[in-house]
Amino acid sequence: DAKTTQPTSMDCAEGRAANLPCNHSTISGNEYVYWYRQIHSQGPQYIIHGLKNNETNEMASLIITEDRKSSTLILPHATLRDTAVYYCIVRVALADKLIFGTGTRLQVFP
Amino acid sequence: NAGVTQTPKFQVLKTGQSMTLQCAQDMNHEYMSWYRQDPGMGLRLIHYSVGAGITDQGEVPNGYNVSRSTTEDFPLRLLSAAPSQTSVYFCASSFTGSPTEAFFGQGTRLTVV
């Protein structure tokens, strides 16, 4: 599985969009980009995934660059409850293993 | 719908003791896995299973055993606990063979003294 690089930490004001970047320059054509988050010490929670098209669901949007070497997770209106560690993971389509890095710690402030 | 259930939530062991962490899921998922998370770190894969009777090692398998006799259950056994195994353990499950989400349990916080 391709490696990912994320900033260690980010801040965001409540109500503003949080844009979390992820670099995956060695991604292969059959690898998906997944995002999970971990709030405090709870189990990780799935957010969104994509292959090459941009994706949106009720939680977030995922923007993948055309060359697929990087992506951005967007939380359109961050709330205090979005404070968490966000993990960007690259995963082969038919594989099941999730390999976590250290993630980005997002702090949403009032 | 319970999802992924882990027991116990907290456990203190003495060095050398053995114990089993339980994980059960009610979503008929084929794939199940165990992770450990040390303070300030990401999750590391210990063992995983793609179906009943099939298990394989992850990134950090030493000191742990698993078995998968049913689709629902995937217990993790510590054979002889060591202080280095103090960690939070998470179990996860998902369907196999398609890009889908994994569901995680709420974790077991284990301290080995």
Side-chain angles (χ1 to χ4, degrees), chain B residues 23-103:
Chain B
C23 176
Q25 52 91 9
D26 61 359
M27 297 172 281
N28 204 30
H29 287 161
E30 304 96 338
Y31 182 79
M32 296 185 73
S33 55
W34 276 101
Y35 292 85
R36 63 176 287 174
Q37 186 174 33
D38 299 327
M41 307 282 286
L43 283 75
R44 291 185 292 169
L45 182 64
I46 304 172
H47 284 286
Y48 63 98
S49 168
V50 298
I54 305 169
T55 64
D56 207 344
Q57 296 181 350
E59 303 169 274
V60 288
N62 292 339
Y64 307 94
N65 272 1
V66 292
S67 60
R68 184 94 178 271
S69 56
T70 68
T71 299
E72 295 78 18
D73 301 298
F74 191 43
L76 178 72
R77 281 182 288 278
L78 280 70
L79 307 173
S80 177
S84 61
Q85 294 178 304
T86 293
S87 192
V88 181
Y89 291 84
F90 292 100
C91 178
S93 74
S94 65
F95 289 114
T96 60
S98 63
T100 185
E101 66 178 289
F103 294 83

Side-chain angles (χ1 to χ4, degrees), chain A residues 63-88:
Chain A
I63 308 298
I64 302 174
T65 58
E66 193 168 342
D67 63 6
R68 302 207 326 121
K69 293 185 176 182
S70 65
S71 60
T72 301
L73 179 74
I74 301 173
L75 308 178
H77 306 286
T79 71
L80 298 178
R81 289 176 294 179
D82 292 321
T83 292
V85 177
Y86 288 77
Y87 296 98
C88 170

Side-chain angles (χ1 to χ4, degrees), chain A residues 32 34 36 38 40-47 49 87 91-103 105, chain B residues 31 35 37 40-43 45 48 50 57 59 88 90 94-102 104-106 109:
Chain A
Y32 283 72
Y34 282 76
Y36 282 77
Q38 188 175 25
H40 196 47
S41 299
Q42 299 175 19
Q45 176 190 24
Y46 166 83
I47 302 173
H49 74 274
Y87 296 98
R91 177 185 181 192
V92 175
L94 297 184
D96 301 301
K97 288 189 289 184
L98 286 171
I99 304 298
F100 286 80
T102 52
R105 183 171 298 276
Chain B
Y31 182 79
Y35 292 85
Q37 186 174 33
M41 307 282 286
L43 283 75
L45 182 64
Y48 63 98
V50 298
Q57 296 181 350
E59 303 169 274
V88 181
F90 292 100
S94 65
F95 289 114
T96 60
S98 63
T100 185
E101 66 178 289
F104 284 79
Q106 287 306 298
R109 187 174 297 274

